[in-house]
Amino acid sequence: MDPHLLRTYVTVARLASFSAAARELGYTQSAVSQHIAALEQDLGTPLLTRRPVAPTAAGERLSEHAGPLLLRLDAARADIARTAAAPEQGLTLATTPTALGPGVLASLPAAGATLRVLPRDAVPAAVVTGGADLGLVDGLAAPSDPLRLPDVAPLTTRGVAEEPVRVLLPATHPLAGRLALRLGDLADARWLDAPDAGLPLDRLRALNGGRGFRPSVRCEGTDLRSLTALAAAGHGLALLPASAAVSVPGAVAVPVSEPRVVHRVELVHAGVPAGAAAVLAAALTAVA
């Protein structure tokens, strides 16, 4: 399967337009049509309906495979480029907003670093494709248990931080005076769904046997400040690392007693870090 044809297919399917795909890819519309026809001939089945432009059943299945396949190819290209290139002086770190705890922040270099705050699933992809030298991913886990990361390409992971989690709720909430809360008792409460700024609700649902934790408001993006403001204003509860839940005006952060989970941060990198990346990796590991 020709990856150039596959990229064309993915773009047409995403934009639902041959002409829009041609503009984005820098091809003529005729070339895009030829790419799709060649791919359909190779696979022996139609992949797109034409009016309207939409994936067929076979096209939907191809779309499921296309993302990981193309990401693997980009990762291979970036890995070879890293091997051949001379070490650079700068450092790019991809991270989720809640991975930036006190220990991580203290380890960052004083100058020469670029910080890319990304959605949780985008951090490993940024590392393997060369968009970042190192990555920091985070999530809920049992103490000392590794996180389950998407299988995008070969990556090395190291745990660099663990801290307790807190339920953030308004200071006027009936449960604000509790010393601790059990997550199972809050399954029917109103929650904020912020998969990239906070700790995802699907993980809480999994811990509760797949039940409860329905969102009242969905927050898209990586703006942690907006998430905490919504919680303080009573629009829903949020589960956050202890360091991210402190000092929020109008809100109270109550510890979680059950289940026994922590907020875990892991460093991810492809290959062997060099230069500034190696220095930061060593500093983060020493903190852990």
Side-chain angles (χ1 to χ4, degrees), residues 99-207:
L100 296 172
V104 171
L105 291 171
S107 301
L108 293 177
T114 298
L115 201 64
R116 295 183 62 196
V117 181
L118 299 174
R120 189 167 279 106
D121 289 344
V123 173
V127 173
V128 299
T129 58
D133 302 294
L134 300 171
L136 289 172
V137 292
D138 67 335
L140 282 178
S144 301
D145 275 4
L147 298 176
R148 292 176 290 182
L149 301 181
D151 182 21
V152 295
L155 282 172
T156 300
T157 64
R158 315 180 202 176
V160 296
E162 282 188 3
E163 63 174 316
V165 293
R166 301 282 188 267
V167 178
L168 191 67
L169 37 75
T172 56
H173 195 282
L175 300 177
R178 294 284 186 90
L179 296 179
L181 293 169
R182 298 190 306 175
L183 286 179
D185 293 340
L186 302 174
D188 295 326
R190 298 169 67 240
W191 284 86
L192 297 170
D193 184 20
D196 297 321
L199 296 174
L201 291 189
D202 58 358
R203 184 72 177 114
L204 301 188
R205 222 170 279 122
L207 292 171

Side-chain angles (χ1 to χ4, degrees), residues 238-254:
L239 188 70
L240 293 169
S243 59
V246 298
S247 303
V248 177
V252 173
V254 182

Side-chain angles (χ1 to χ4, degrees), residues 8 21 36 61 117 166 282:
T8 300
I36 298 302
R61 294 299 297 272
V117 181
R166 301 282 188 267

